[in-house]
Protein backbone atom coordinates (compact mmCIF):
# COMPACT_ATOMS: atom_id res chain seq x y z
CA UNK A 1 0.00 0.00 0.00
CA UNK A 2 2.81 2.43 0.85
CA UNK A 3 4.52 1.59 -2.43
CA UNK A 4 1.31 2.40 -4.32
CA UNK A 5 0.95 5.67 -2.41
CA UNK A 6 4.48 6.74 -3.29
CA UNK A 7 3.75 5.91 -6.91
CA UNK A 8 0.52 7.93 -7.02
CA UNK A 9 1.86 11.02 -5.26
CA UNK A 10 4.17 12.36 -8.01
CA UNK A 11 1.77 11.36 -10.77
CA UNK A 12 -1.06 13.18 -9.07
CA UNK A 13 0.71 16.52 -9.29
CA UNK A 14 2.27 15.91 -12.67
CA UNK A 15 -1.06 14.92 -14.20
CA UNK A 16 -1.85 18.45 -15.32
CA UNK A 17 1.14 18.40 -17.67
CA UNK A 18 -0.24 15.39 -19.55
CA UNK A 19 -1.73 16.04 -22.99
CA UNK A 20 -4.39 13.78 -24.50
CA UNK A 21 -3.02 11.35 -27.04
CA UNK A 22 -4.68 10.86 -30.43
CA UNK A 23 -7.56 8.47 -30.01
CA UNK A 24 -8.32 9.34 -26.38
CA UNK A 25 -12.04 9.90 -26.66
CA UNK A 26 -13.23 9.93 -23.05
CA UNK A 27 -15.02 13.02 -21.89
CA UNK A 28 -14.91 14.04 -18.25
CA UNK A 29 -18.38 12.66 -17.47
CA UNK A 30 -17.42 9.25 -18.85
CA UNK A 31 -14.27 9.15 -16.72
CA UNK A 32 -16.25 10.23 -13.66
CA UNK A 33 -18.85 7.52 -14.27
CA UNK A 34 -16.12 4.92 -14.80
CA UNK A 35 -14.53 5.94 -11.49
CA UNK A 36 -17.83 5.46 -9.68
CA UNK A 37 -18.37 2.06 -11.30
CA UNK A 38 -14.85 0.92 -10.42
CA UNK A 39 -15.52 1.85 -6.81
CA UNK A 40 -18.84 0.02 -6.82
CA UNK A 41 -17.01 -3.03 -8.17
CA UNK A 42 -14.27 -2.51 -5.53
CA UNK A 43 -11.60 -1.98 -8.18
CA UNK A 44 -9.95 0.80 -6.21
CA UNK A 45 -6.67 0.63 -8.13
CA UNK A 46 -8.62 1.34 -11.32
CA UNK A 47 -10.51 4.16 -9.59
CA UNK A 48 -7.19 5.75 -8.59
CA UNK A 49 -6.12 5.59 -12.22
CA UNK A 50 -9.43 7.11 -13.32
CA UNK A 51 -8.82 10.17 -11.19
CA UNK A 52 -5.32 10.58 -12.59
CA UNK A 53 -6.76 10.38 -16.09
CA UNK A 54 -9.38 12.98 -15.22
CA UNK A 55 -6.71 15.28 -13.77
CA UNK A 56 -4.56 14.81 -16.86
CA UNK A 57 -7.19 15.39 -19.54
CA UNK A 58 -9.53 17.79 -17.74
CA UNK A 59 -7.60 19.57 -14.93
CA UNK A 60 -10.46 22.05 -14.42
CA UNK A 61 -13.20 19.43 -14.27
CA UNK A 62 -15.84 20.03 -11.59
CA UNK A 63 -15.90 16.25 -11.01
CA UNK A 64 -12.44 16.29 -9.44
CA UNK A 65 -13.79 17.78 -6.24
CA UNK A 66 -16.44 15.10 -5.72
CA UNK A 67 -14.16 12.30 -6.91
CA UNK A 68 -11.56 13.16 -4.29
CA UNK A 69 -14.19 12.70 -1.60
CA UNK A 70 -15.51 9.54 -3.23
CA UNK A 71 -12.03 8.03 -3.27
CA UNK A 72 -11.39 9.14 0.30
CA UNK A 73 -14.51 7.35 1.52
CA UNK A 74 -13.84 4.25 -0.59
CA UNK A 75 -10.31 3.84 0.71
CA UNK A 76 -11.42 4.55 4.27
CA UNK A 77 -14.05 1.82 4.04
CA UNK A 78 -11.40 -0.50 2.62
CA UNK A 79 -9.06 0.40 5.50
CA UNK A 80 -6.49 1.86 3.10
CA UNK A 81 -5.75 4.60 5.59
CA UNK A 82 -2.69 6.11 3.88
CA UNK A 83 -4.53 6.68 0.61
CA UNK A 84 -7.71 7.77 2.40
CA UNK A 85 -5.79 10.51 4.21
CA UNK A 86 -3.99 11.48 1.01
CA UNK A 87 -7.24 12.10 -0.88
CA UNK A 88 -8.78 13.91 2.10
CA UNK A 89 -5.73 16.19 2.32
CA UNK A 90 -6.02 16.97 -1.38
CA UNK A 91 -9.70 17.80 -1.00
CA UNK A 92 -9.05 20.05 2.01
CA UNK A 93 -6.18 21.95 0.37
CA UNK A 94 -7.88 22.48 -2.97
CA UNK A 95 -11.62 22.65 -2.40
CA UNK A 96 -12.71 22.76 1.23
CA UNK A 97 -14.57 25.85 2.40
CA UNK A 98 -13.91 27.40 5.81
CA UNK A 99 -16.98 25.61 7.17
CA UNK A 100 -15.67 22.26 5.97
CA UNK A 101 -12.23 22.52 7.60
CA UNK A 102 -13.40 21.29 11.05
CA UNK A 103 -14.96 18.24 9.39
CA UNK A 104 -11.78 17.53 7.39
CA UNK A 105 -9.57 17.83 10.45
CA UNK A 106 -11.90 15.61 12.46
CA UNK A 107 -11.82 13.00 9.70
CA UNK A 108 -8.00 13.01 9.71
CA UNK A 109 -7.96 12.41 13.46
CA UNK A 110 -10.44 9.58 12.99
CA UNK A 111 -8.17 8.04 10.35
CA UNK A 112 -5.20 8.20 12.72
CA UNK A 113 -7.30 6.60 15.44
CA UNK A 114 -8.61 3.81 13.22
CA UNK A 115 -5.16 3.09 11.81
CA UNK A 116 -3.72 2.60 15.31
CA UNK A 117 -4.55 -1.08 15.51
CA UNK A 118 -1.70 -2.52 17.60
CA UNK A 119 -2.30 -1.68 21.24
CA UNK A 120 0.81 -1.53 23.45
CA UNK A 121 3.05 -0.59 20.52
CA UNK A 122 4.34 2.66 19.03
CA UNK A 123 3.71 5.01 21.92
CA UNK A 124 4.76 7.97 19.80
CA UNK A 125 1.71 7.49 17.56
CA UNK A 126 -0.72 7.39 20.47
CA UNK A 127 0.90 10.49 22.00
CA UNK A 128 0.61 12.28 18.65
CA UNK A 129 -3.06 11.33 18.52
CA UNK A 130 -3.59 12.81 21.97
CA UNK A 131 -1.92 16.06 20.85
CA UNK A 132 -4.03 16.16 17.68
CA UNK A 133 -7.17 15.98 19.78
CA UNK A 134 -5.95 18.72 22.12
CA UNK A 135 -5.07 20.99 19.21
CA UNK A 136 -8.42 20.34 17.55
CA UNK A 137 -10.31 21.36 20.69
CA UNK A 138 -8.28 24.56 20.93
CA UNK A 139 -8.63 25.41 17.24
CA UNK A 140 -12.31 24.51 16.85
CA UNK A 141 -13.90 25.02 20.30
CA UNK A 142 -17.41 25.24 18.81
CA UNK A 143 -17.15 22.32 16.43
CA UNK A 144 -20.11 19.95 16.27
CA UNK A 145 -17.57 17.12 16.15
CA UNK A 146 -16.19 17.78 19.65
CA UNK A 147 -18.08 14.83 21.21
CA UNK A 148 -16.41 12.46 18.75
CA UNK A 149 -13.03 14.11 19.29
CA UNK A 150 -13.43 13.82 23.07
CA UNK A 151 -14.28 10.14 22.73
CA UNK A 152 -11.15 9.49 20.66
CA UNK A 153 -9.13 11.58 23.10
CA UNK A 154 -10.29 9.63 26.16
CA UNK A 155 -9.67 6.28 24.45
CA UNK A 156 -6.19 7.40 23.42
CA UNK A 157 -5.37 8.62 26.95
CA UNK A 158 -6.59 5.35 28.44
CA UNK A 159 -4.60 3.30 25.92
CA UNK A 160 -1.50 5.32 26.78
CA UNK A 161 -2.05 4.69 30.49
CA UNK A 162 -2.18 0.93 29.92
CA UNK A 163 0.94 1.19 27.80
CA UNK A 164 2.73 3.18 30.52
CA UNK A 165 1.67 0.57 33.07
CA UNK A 166 3.11 -2.21 30.90
CA UNK A 167 6.42 -0.35 30.61
CA UNK A 168 6.40 0.37 34.37
CA UNK A 169 5.93 -3.31 35.21
CA UNK A 170 8.66 -4.32 32.78
CA UNK A 171 11.20 -1.93 34.30
CA UNK A 172 10.21 -3.06 37.81
CA UNK A 173 10.76 -6.66 36.74
CA UNK A 174 14.20 -5.73 35.40
CA UNK A 175 15.06 -3.94 38.65
CA UNK A 176 15.28 -0.51 36.99
CA UNK A 177 13.49 1.49 39.67
CA UNK A 178 14.32 5.00 38.39
CA UNK A 179 13.17 4.21 34.87
CA UNK A 180 10.04 2.56 36.24
CA UNK A 181 9.03 5.67 38.17
CA UNK A 182 8.88 7.68 34.94
CA UNK A 183 6.07 5.45 33.66
CA UNK A 184 4.19 4.96 36.91
CA UNK A 185 0.52 5.76 36.37
CA UNK A 186 -2.93 5.17 37.80
CA UNK A 187 -5.39 3.06 35.83
CA UNK A 188 -8.99 4.30 36.23
CA UNK A 189 -11.24 1.92 38.12
CA UNK A 190 -13.69 -0.16 36.08
CA UNK A 191 -11.77 0.57 32.89
CA UNK A 192 -10.94 -2.17 30.43
CA UNK A 193 -7.57 -2.64 28.71
CA UNK A 194 -7.35 -2.36 24.92
CA UNK A 195 -8.35 -5.55 23.16
CA UNK A 196 -5.73 -7.31 21.08
CA UNK A 197 -5.98 -10.58 19.14
CA UNK A 198 -4.72 -13.61 21.06
CA UNK A 199 -2.10 -14.36 18.43
CA UNK A 200 -0.51 -10.95 18.97
CA UNK A 201 -0.32 -11.20 22.74
CA UNK A 202 2.80 -13.38 22.58
CA UNK A 203 4.72 -10.43 21.13
CA UNK A 204 3.87 -8.11 24.04
CA UNK A 205 5.31 -7.95 27.51
Amino acid sequence: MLKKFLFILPLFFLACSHKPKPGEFHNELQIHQKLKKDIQDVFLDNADDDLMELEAQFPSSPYIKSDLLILYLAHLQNEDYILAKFYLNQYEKRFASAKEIPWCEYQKIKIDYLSYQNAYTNQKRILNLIEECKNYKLTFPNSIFLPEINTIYMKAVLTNKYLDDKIYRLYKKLGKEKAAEIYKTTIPKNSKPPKIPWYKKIFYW
Side-chain angles (χ1 to χ4, degrees):
M1 182 54 62
L2 181 57
K3 183 177 180 181
K4 176 177 175 58
F5 171 72
L6 293 175
F7 173 74
I8 285 179
L9 184 58
L11 290 182
F12 194 89
F13 292 105
L14 291 174
C16 294
S17 64
H18 170 82
K19 294 181 180 180
K21 298 176 183 179
E24 288 183 330
F25 56 87
H26 287 119
N27 62 46
E28 53 191 315
L29 177 58
Q30 288 175 318
I31 299 174
H32 170 69
Q33 290 174 334
K34 182 177 182 299
L35 182 147
K36 291 173 64 177
K37 187 177 188 309
D38 283 335
I39 288 177
Q40 290 172 356
D41 295 337
V42 199
F43 296 147
L44 297 189
D45 287 351
N46 292 347
D48 294 331
D49 293 340
D50 295 333
L51 179 60
M52 285 192 287
E53 183 176 356
L54 184 61
E55 287 271 15
Q57 296 193 45
F58 306 99
S60 300
S61 171
Y63 295 115
I64 293 174
K65 178 178 179 179
S66 61
D67 287 351
L68 284 170
L69 279 181
I70 291 171
L71 281 167
Y72 153 65
L73 292 170
H75 282 290
L76 180 64
Q77 186 175 9
N78 201 47
E79 299 183 0
D80 300 329
Y81 297 118
I82 293 176
L83 282 173
K85 195 169 185 178
F86 169 74
Y87 286 120
L88 181 61
N89 274 325
Q90 287 304 308
Y91 176 83
E92 182 177 13
K93 291 176 182 177
R94 299 168 63 185
F95 300 109
S97 66
K99 291 183 178 179
E100 292 176 295
I101 298 299
W103 175 82
C104 292
E105 292 299 313
Y106 157 60
Q107 291 296 316
K108 287 193 282 187
I109 290 175
K110 185 172 72 173
I111 289 174
D112 289 341
Y113 171 70
L114 292 174
S115 64
Y116 185 81
Q117 298 178 339
N118 296 321
Y120 305 133
T121 62
N122 201 335
Q123 191 170 33
K124 183 177 179 180
R125 283 193 62 190
I126 203 68
L127 290 174
N128 286 342
L129 182 59
I130 291 171
E131 286 303 310
E132 286 178 29
C133 291
K134 288 180 178 179
N135 291 335
Y136 185 94
K137 291 192 285 186
L138 289 173
T139 307
F140 308 107
N142 300 316
S143 171
I144 62 173
F145 304 107
L146 280 182
E148 288 83 357
I149 292 294
N150 284 329
T151 297
I152 292 174
Y153 173 75
M154 293 307 299
K155 288 183 177 181
V157 167
L158 186 59
T159 296
N160 190 58
K161 281 184 173 291
Y162 275 99
L163 181 53
D164 278 347
D165 188 61
K166 286 283 186 180
I167 298 172
Y168 169 77
R169 292 175 185 274
L170 175 62
Y171 279 133
K172 289 284 287 186
K173 186 176 181 179
L174 296 174
K176 298 182 178 181
E177 298 294 333
K178 289 185 178 180
E181 285 301 312
I182 297 174
Y183 293 94
K184 189 174 183 180
T185 188
T186 302
I187 303 295
K189 293 182 179 179
N190 302 321
S191 66
K192 296 181 180 179
K195 293 182 180 180
I196 57 175
W198 66 267
Y199 57 86
K200 290 185 178 181
K201 290 182 180 180
I202 60 174
F203 298 106
Y204 300 131
W205 306 303

